[in-house]
């Protein structure tokens, strides 16, 4: 990852102005306020985690984050943070992004999702920037005294 992408992720992180005591729920609420849209998180077995483990679908009035089934809370958190990072970075508004209408899940009753990000290339600049921002957010959660997923506590 080049310095330009790291800088984009860091700038987005700093602009969030997150509180010192942070939880995943507080982060989601903060992003909802910032975007003016509700965020719904859905775990689904329809994502196997082999090619796609998370998918953000911006709908008309709500951002839906789908993630694959996982037994590990840290893995679940990272998948959610990655998709939320796309929201924070406003990748739904980026010119030239690889967005396409796709049918994803049966529960959408055959609706075509207007702006679902096609995850064909995990090495794209958008994906790399979102993953770096997700790492920054995960670090903020780990160092927060309120976050129960502070895994460093298990190794003391």
């Amino acid at each position: 990852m080049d310095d330009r992408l790291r800088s984009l992720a860091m700038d987005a992180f700093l602009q969030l102005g997150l509180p010192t005591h942070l939880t995943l729920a507080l982060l989601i609420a903060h992003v909802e306020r910032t975007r003016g849209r509700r965020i719904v998180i859905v775990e689904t077995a329809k994502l196997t985690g082999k090619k796609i483990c998370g998918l953000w679908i911006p709908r008309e009035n709500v951002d839906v984050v789908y993630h694959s089934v996982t037994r590990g809370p840290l893995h679940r958190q990272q998948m959610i943070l990655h998709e939320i990072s796309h929201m924070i970075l406003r990748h739904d508004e980026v010119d030239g992004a690889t967005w396409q209408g796709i049918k994803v899940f049966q529960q959408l009753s055959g609706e075509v999702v207007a702006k679902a990000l096609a995850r064909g290339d995990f090495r794209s600049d958008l994906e790399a920037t979102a993953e770096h921002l997700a790492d920054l957010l995960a670090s903020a959660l780990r160092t927060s005294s309120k976050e129960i997923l502070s895994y460093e506590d298990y190794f003391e």
Side-chain angles (χ1 to χ4, degrees):
M1 170 186 259
D2 66 37
D3 289 340
R4 176 183 57 87
L5 300 179
R6 279 191 189 86
S7 179
L8 283 172
M10 181 57 79
D11 290 347
F13 177 79
L14 294 173
Q15 287 177 14
L16 284 172
L18 296 172
T20 304
H21 300 292
L22 186 65
T23 65
L24 183 57
L26 287 172
L27 173 64
I28 290 170
H30 185 80
V31 175
E32 285 176 327
R33 281 189 305 276
T34 302
R35 286 181 57 81
R37 300 163 55 87
R38 192 168 52 99
I39 296 172
V40 175
I41 310 293
V42 179
E43 182 178 81
T44 178
K46 297 201 183 273
L47 292 177
T48 63
K50 292 179 182 168
K51 289 188 178 183
I52 300 174
C53 56
L55 181 67
W56 161 43
I57 300 177
R59 306 286 303 275
E60 187 175 332
N61 297 311
V62 65
D63 287 310
V64 183
V65 171
Y66 293 95
H67 68 84
S68 61
V69 177
T70 180
R71 287 186 251 181
L74 291 174
H75 186 214
R76 176 184 183 273
Q77 176 181 279
Q78 190 68 17
M79 289 186 286
I80 293 168
L81 291 176
H82 179 90
E83 300 310 322
I84 287 174
S85 293
H86 282 295
M87 293 176 209
I88 294 166
L89 293 162
R90 299 202 170 278
H91 284 168
D92 54 335
E93 299 172 5
V94 173
D95 289 335
T98 57
W99 296 83
Q100 65 182 21
I102 58 173
K103 294 180 183 177
V104 182
F105 301 100
Q106 288 178 339
Q107 66 260 36
L108 295 179
S109 303
E111 289 180 40
V112 176
V113 181
K115 287 188 173 181
L117 180 60
R119 301 285 198 236
D121 184 2
F122 291 99
R123 296 165 298 178
S124 74
D125 286 355
L126 296 179
E127 290 301 317
T129 308
E131 191 60 24
H132 188 63
L133 178 53
D135 290 344
L136 294 170
L137 294 169
S139 178
L141 289 170
R142 279 193 314 273
T143 59
S144 174
S145 61
K146 287 189 173 184
E147 182 55 49
I148 61 170
L149 298 175
S150 182
Y151 68 86
E152 286 95 347
D153 294 344
Y154 295 107
F155 299 108
E156 291 182 19

